[in-house]
Each structure stands twice: as structure tokens, then as C-alpha cells.
Amino acid sequence: MTFAMAIAAAIAYTIGGVFMKFSAGLSVLTPTLLVYLCFALGASLQTLLMAKSQLGVSYILVLGLESVMAALFGAIFFKETYSVPAMLGIGLIVAGVAVLRSVSTQPG
């Protein structure tokens, strides 16, 4: 349940990031409002997650998932491309998330 909540928080933050791009520097009303709505949802989910897990692990887990999703959304929606070093860095983030997930599911 906690990993699903981390994924949901990361998705909310990432969608908020997409709306940031569409808001043109917070100058377009609807995307700007959606930025704040998505970020509030993400923060709420992350707060609930932190009540059930360690601060550092849950915070970095959400941040790592958000980073990878932002790269994917950027490639899909904005046709952004990534260099080999950037893809290596994204791979390291994925590996870190996998390690954190295994740590967060262990008792204690």
C-alpha cells in the first residue's frame, strides 16, 4: 500500500510539472490552477505515506519516482531527448528506487 501511495504522489507531482510547462511561467490561468491542485494532491499523499514510513526513505522514494516519470513524460509529451549520460543517470535513479523499495518493505 505504501509503494502504491508513493507512486500516486509521484504521478500527481509529475502531472503538476507538465502543467507547469503549459502554464507559461504561471501566466495561463487553468494550467496554473492545475499546478497547485496536483502539487497539493501529491503533498497530501506524501504526507499520508510519511505517517507509515521513514521520512528519508519515503521522501527520496517519491522524489526518485517523480524524476523518472518526469523524464518519461518529457519524452512522450514534449519530444525531449536524452543523452547517454542522462539515460545512465536515470538508470541509476531507477536502481536507487528499487533499493529503497526493498528497504522500505523490510520490518524495523
Side-chain angles (χ1 to χ4, degrees):
M1 176 65 160
T2 58
F3 189 63
M5 199 173 297
I7 291 172
I11 289 171
Y13 283 132
T14 306
I15 292 172
V18 170
F19 286 121
M20 284 175 95
K21 191 98 164 150
F22 288 132
S23 75
L26 302 178
S27 65
V28 181
L29 181 62
T30 301
T32 297
L33 294 175
L34 291 170
V35 167
Y36 289 110
L37 179 67
C38 289
F39 283 7
L41 176 61
S44 298
L45 290 168
Q46 190 170 3
T47 300
L48 294 170
L49 172 66
M50 286 183 182
K52 299 176 182 179
S53 60
Q54 297 175 335
L55 171 69
V57 171
S58 61
Y59 192 86
I60 294 169
L61 180 61
V62 171
L63 187 60
L65 289 168
E66 180 187 355
S67 300
V68 172
M69 287 182 201
L72 289 173
F73 280 33
I76 293 167
F77 297 114
F78 303 108
K79 306 298 184 219
E80 296 175 352
T81 58
Y82 302 99
S83 64
V84 172
M87 289 189 292
L88 180 60
I90 292 167
L92 290 170
I93 292 170
V94 170
V97 166
V99 169
L100 283 173
R101 182 166 188 249
S102 71
V103 169
S104 68
T105 58
Q106 293 177 355

